[in-house]
Amino acid sequence: MKESFKVELWSIWLSGLVLIGLSLYATQRLPLHNKDQSRITISKLNNNVASDSTGLRITIFTAPKPFKGSTGTKQSLAVQSWLALSPNVAVVLFSKDPSVASFSGDFGSRVLVDTNIDFTFLGTPFLHSMIARSHSFTSDIYVIVDPETVILSGFISTLNHAYELDHDWLLVASSQNVSHFPFHLDNSGKHWLLDNGEHVKIHEIQKMLQQNWQGNQCYTSMIIAWNNNDAPLHNGVLPPFLYNKGIHNNWLIHEAMSSEFRFVFDATLTITSFHLNGDQDIENREWEYIGNSHLGAHYGSFFFSEANYSSIPKLFKCYKQYIILDTDKNIVYPIRHSRKMNLWKENIFSSWLEKNTMHCIACLKSQIIRILDCSLKGQMKTSEPLEIPFSLESLLSISADETKTIVLTTAGFSYKDMLMSWVCRLRKLSIENFIVCALDQETYQFSILQGIPVFKDPLVPSNISFDDCHFGTKCFQRVTKVKSRMVLKILKLGYNVLLSDVDTYWFKNPIPLLQSFGPAVLAAQSDEFNKKGPINLPRRLNSGFYYAHSDGQTIAAMEKVVRHAQTSSLSEQPSFYDMLCGTGGSNRVDDNRCVESETNMTVYFLDRDLFPNGAYQDLWQKKNVSAACLKKGCFIIHNNWISGRLKKLERQVMSGLWEYDSGTRMCLQSWHTIKP
């Protein structure tokens, strides 16, 4: 019997590749004022990160829904329960919703709202961005908790003891589901009350709620905590899971166990927490769960060899002694708070502890069996198609701004990284009124997983390759005609359109300026490369960046362009100039305008200092492209007048005008930590 209590050698080997780093060069080229602002922000946030009485700094992160109705009430109670655990617990809420900021104001510096992570166009946060952002805070222990999970007891004590481990660790704790929680905190936030106002002790709450155990077999709601150290949580890349949309908790546990970078253990038996069953998601968001299933199946080894969760070592408390039970090896490890515990040193329990531990294990056996006894293989939705239930019309109503203006771009799969850099840049500028027309199924699904408002054009040619679809190719000539056709369709739906190719880099929002031209004016970029002279010469209208107002004259003029392009063997760009400015420029007025003779619509060629093309004044050859453009007051710069996708990509990345890390599938943020 004593042999079963002997602490055996436990070797955990670090293996695999380190998490793919960010693009060091591109991030170093971020504007200096952004980096300085980041340091100021991080300093402010870190000053508010609290520490436990033992000196530990503990920060809880979550991403709540809007604080409205019953959901808001449950989330409010959950956050208050975390703050009640200790005066030294700090909470960070990831959200863009105004109600969240309003809620946090009642708690001062203890509750902070952070919007500097990646969200979908509907406001759903990405887990990988949440975890990456959390590491920019100075904290000894990081915790992620479901926003509707009330933590009653055992949390601080468990983390204090876990911190005694001399190996990097990942703690997980499942929460009990409860449909009715008739308790709330008093005004001081320290004492629990019944709904009738009577005081109630925590152990009484536990007793009442545990009588109606509903379980939480597959970690749909849980607590995840880890100590701050250099060891990654797992090998490889954390995919862009949508937070709280299924799969990601089990995937993370599985990959952490497989990687063996950290000691993974379950603290469900020492932390008492309850998940307040929320209302069913009345929105049509099934596709978000399907997306997480697809990601779980394609990243890591989760889909092929799901972990045996019941074998995870479990932390429990026996006669005031914290002990880790490894049911797989049938051994136990004591955690002595008086000194650090070495997982690799052999230890033999004293006889009295051996006897009491056996008694504790016998009493807890039924609980241990039902904890983590689950598999998600049957719940994976990988066979279901990944589609969003939005038509073009519904996307426009969701995404357009108050002036009914929409920014439109198109992209094929070979340009997916440039598309994401473009999207990330617009989001950094707080421009959300954009939609993407996917030119193939791969781009459509990629965009869904990246949280982009995307739609497919059913008339896009299917027998083309986008790998070499650059200016001058047959592919380019066929695909570009999709743009003018979609612009015309959106104009007819009553929306103003700013068409922008993904190879345009935006320094600031050009929409207010473009709107100032008014109706019956198409404001377009000039492709003229000569430094002096007219900018509206023949075939110098760039159809990769223009603004069209939704009015009768503009629609009639665009119809002429689309009809001409359909019969032309060239791209759509010559059709724009020949139909609007006349063959050879017969409709030119001055050096920067044309007036279409039949519709009387004006074409205004934009100032190249403000909207430079890729050949203007050799701006792309400058040592500091950003500084040169900002000095001119540029709104955008077009990465054209260069042949080939890879050359175009290289030029933009090396210039520092790049906003996306394809390795982590996250937008580059000023808070990103660079690890060369």
Side-chain angles (χ1 to χ4, degrees):
M1 180 63 68
K2 287 187 177 182
E3 291 299 320
S4 64
F5 285 92
K6 188 177 293 185
V7 178
E8 300 178 349
L9 295 176
W10 192 343
S11 298
I12 301 179
W13 300 95
L14 298 178
S15 60
L17 298 174
V18 177
L19 187 68
I20 299 175
L22 300 173
S23 174
L24 177 60
Y25 187 91
T27 308
Q28 287 178 332
R29 298 298 298 275
L30 286 170
L32 183 59
H33 70 276
N34 284 347
K35 291 184 178 180
D36 291 340
Q37 182 63 38
S38 173
R39 284 193 286 267
I40 294 171
T41 303
I42 294 300
S43 175
K44 179 180 178 182
L45 295 178
N46 287 337
N47 287 338
N48 292 325
V49 173
S51 62
D52 178 66
S53 59
T54 60
L56 291 181
R57 293 165 296 183
I58 300 172
T59 312
I60 297 177
F61 301 87
T62 193
K65 295 179 180 179
F67 279 82
K68 299 175 182 177
S70 61
T71 296
T73 301
K74 294 170 184 175
Q75 292 180 157
S76 176
L77 182 60
V79 174
Q80 291 179 65
S81 75
W82 309 340
L83 298 175
L85 296 169
S86 164
N88 300 316
V89 170
V91 177
V92 176
L93 307 176
F94 294 116
S95 176
K96 291 183 177 181
D97 192 270
S99 66
V100 178
S102 177
F103 166 81
S104 69
D106 296 334
F107 302 97
S109 61
R110 293 193 66 192
V111 179
L112 304 170
V113 178
D114 193 343
T115 62
N116 296 316
I117 64 167
D118 292 347
F119 296 87
T120 70
F121 74 101
L122 294 177
T124 305
F126 285 95
L127 177 67
H128 68 332
S129 188
M130 290 172 58
I131 291 179
R133 175 56 166 157
S134 68
H135 288 159
S136 66
F137 290 81
T138 301
S139 186
D140 294 310
I141 297 177
Y142 303 105
V143 187
I144 290 183
V145 185
D146 184 280
E148 294 184 359
T149 294
V150 170
I151 303 177
L152 283 183
S153 64
F155 179 77
I156 298 296
S157 178
T158 296
L159 292 184
N160 283 336
H161 281 80
Y163 201 71
E164 292 298 303
L165 296 171
D166 63 354
H167 190 70
D168 292 326
W169 49 267
L170 176 70
L171 173 154
V172 297
S174 182
S175 302
Q176 298 181 35
N177 287 322
V178 293
S179 57
H180 181 55
F181 192 84
F183 314 99
H184 63 275
L185 286 161
D186 63 10
N187 293 333
S188 70
K190 297 179 181 179
H191 306 102
W192 287 96
L193 306 175
L194 288 165
D195 283 345
N196 59 13
E198 294 182 7
H199 283 266
V200 60
K201 296 185 179 298
I202 289 178
H203 73 270
E204 294 174 333
I205 297 176
Q206 293 172 321
K207 184 177 180 180
M208 284 185 277
L209 293 178
Q210 287 176 344
Q211 291 175 352
N212 299 315
W213 170 285
Q214 296 181 26
N216 189 6
Q217 303 294 317
C218 281
Y219 279 147
T220 54
S221 301
M222 63 180 295
I223 299 168
I224 302 177
W226 64 97
N227 65 313
N228 180 9
N229 216 326
D230 292 333
L233 298 183
H234 57 86
N235 190 23
V237 176
L238 179 61
F241 287 120
L242 298 183
Y243 179 65
N244 252 352
K245 302 299 179 179
I247 302 299
H248 57 68
N249 289 338
N250 290 68
W251 187 96
L252 182 60
I253 296 170
H254 171 270
E255 295 302 313
M257 293 174 64
S258 301
S259 302
E260 298 186 346
F261 290 155
R262 290 174 174 267
F263 171 52
V264 182
F265 66 99
D266 175 25
T268 300
L269 296 174
T270 62
I271 298 177
T272 302
S273 62
F274 298 92
H275 178 248
L276 310 182
N277 285 348
D279 299 328
Q280 293 296 319
D281 193 349
I282 60 176
E283 298 174 294
N284 187 8
R285 298 288 188 88
E286 181 67 14
W287 53 275
E288 293 184 321
Y289 295 87
I290 295 174
N292 275 9
S293 291
H294 281 256
L295 290 169
H298 289 92
Y299 279 77
S301 59
F302 173 74
F303 184 73
F304 303 100
S305 57
E306 189 176 2
N308 179 13
Y309 300 107
S310 61
S311 67
I312 297 178
K314 294 163 184 64
L315 180 69
F316 68 99
K317 195 174 182 180
C318 182
Y319 293 92
K320 298 183 179 181
Q321 171 75 50
Y322 279 84
I323 298 173
I324 293 177
L325 169 65
D326 189 332
T327 56
D328 193 38
K329 297 180 180 179
N330 199 31
I331 55 177
V332 294
Y333 304 92
I335 300 180
R336 293 185 175 87
H337 191 60
S338 59
R339 62 181 178 84
K340 286 186 178 293
M341 185 193 90
N342 193 319
L343 292 176
W344 294 275
K345 289 183 179 179
E346 195 167 304
N347 241 332
I348 300 178
F349 286 115
S350 60
S351 59
W352 70 269
L353 183 58
E354 174 182 326
K355 180 179 179 180
N356 289 332
T357 302
M358 285 293 295
H359 175 71
C360 291
I361 292 175
C363 294
L364 294 172
K365 185 176 180 181
S366 60
Q367 294 186 50
I368 292 173
I369 291 175
R370 62 186 175 185
I371 294 174
L372 287 171
D373 183 18
C374 70
S375 173
L376 292 188
K377 287 292 182 66
Q379 301 179 36
M380 298 283 280
K381 303 177 183 295
T382 53
S383 61
E384 299 184 33
L386 181 58
E387 297 177 343
I388 57 175
F390 300 113
S391 63
L392 172 59
E393 291 79 2
S394 58
L395 278 181
L396 290 170
S397 65
I398 293 171
S399 302
D401 66 11
E402 64 277 2
T403 67
K404 296 195 70 175
T405 297
I406 199 77
V407 182
L408 172 69
T409 195
T410 61
F413 195 63
S414 61
Y415 276 82
K416 67 182 185 303
D417 290 340
M418 191 163 282
L419 165 66
M420 280 308 305
S421 180
W422 182 87
V423 167
C424 292
R425 182 58 187 171
L426 264 62
R427 286 175 171 167
K428 186 171 289 188
L429 293 173
S430 299
I431 300 172
E432 301 288 348
N433 58 319
F434 64 87
I435 58 174
V436 174
C437 177
L439 299 177
D440 50 54
Q441 181 67 12
E442 293 80 8
T443 304
Y444 176 71
Q445 293 188 342
F446 172 83
S447 298
I448 292 175
L449 294 175
Q450 294 286 166
I452 298 173
V454 63
F455 67 98
K456 289 184 296 185
D457 178 17
L459 301 180
V460 172
S462 58
N463 58 338
I464 56 177
S465 171
F466 291 97
D467 291 335
D468 196 32
C469 198
H470 55 80
F471 184 83
T473 63
K474 291 292 185 182
C475 167
F476 180 86
Q477 293 170 0
R478 298 175 65 185
V479 168
T480 57
K481 298 174 184 180
V482 174
K483 298 188 295 185
S484 56
R485 183 161 45 79
M486 294 313 306
V487 168
L488 176 59
K489 184 174 182 178
I490 295 172
L491 289 174
K492 289 183 175 181
L493 290 171
Y495 294 88
N496 311 315
V497 182
L498 171 52
L499 186 284
S500 174
D501 284 349
V502 295
D503 61 352
T504 57
Y505 184 87
W506 293 35
F507 293 100
K508 52 186 176 181
N509 188 353
I511 296 176
L513 174 63
L514 298 173
Q515 289 177 330
S516 68
F517 289 104
V521 176
L522 188 141
Q525 185 179 48
S526 171
D527 232 6
E528 179 57 55
F529 56 87
N530 289 316
K531 295 181 181 179
K532 296 182 179 180
I535 63 174
N536 59 350
L537 293 174
R539 303 287 174 87
R540 286 295 178 245
L541 188 155
N542 190 306
S543 63
F545 188 88
Y546 62 91
Y547 177 81
H549 189 273
S550 178
D551 57 72
Q553 291 167 274
T554 303
I555 291 173
M558 283 297 299
E559 286 177 331
K560 293 183 64 176
V561 172
V562 171
R563 283 196 301 268
H564 185 272
Q566 287 176 342
T567 60
S568 172
S569 60
L570 303 176
S571 69
E572 67 170 6
Q573 191 151 299
S575 297
F576 266 87
Y577 191 90
D578 292 352
M579 290 295 97
L580 302 181
C581 292
T583 304
S586 59
N587 296 335
R588 286 177 56 209
V589 178
D590 301 325
D591 290 339
N592 62 352
R593 289 186 299 147
C594 297
V595 177
E596 202 284 314
S597 57
E598 293 184 9
T599 63
N600 203 36
M601 186 198 75
T602 299
V603 178
Y604 183 87
F605 288 76
L606 294 165
D607 185 343
R608 289 177 298 166
D609 282 343
L610 304 182
F611 299 88
N613 60 62
Y616 182 62
Q617 295 190 0
D618 295 325
L619 286 173
W620 281 107
Q621 278 66 54
K622 302 293 183 182
K623 184 177 181 180
N624 190 326
V625 181
S626 178
C629 288
L630 290 173
K631 185 177 180 180
K632 286 182 171 294
C634 297
F635 283 87
I636 64 113
I637 184 172
H638 206 147
N639 190 9
N640 63 344
W641 284 95
I642 186 171
S643 180
R645 176 179 61 87
L646 294 180
K647 291 182 179 179
K648 184 189 294 274
L649 187 65
E650 180 183 17
R651 181 166 77 173
Q652 190 162 337
V653 171
M654 296 303 291
S655 72
L657 302 183
W658 192 256
E659 305 289 343
Y660 177 65
D661 177 32
S662 60
T664 61
R665 291 180 71 165
M666 281 188 283
C667 293
L668 290 174
Q669 304 280 1
S670 56
W671 49 260
H672 271 129
T673 301
I674 307 303
K675 295 183 179 180

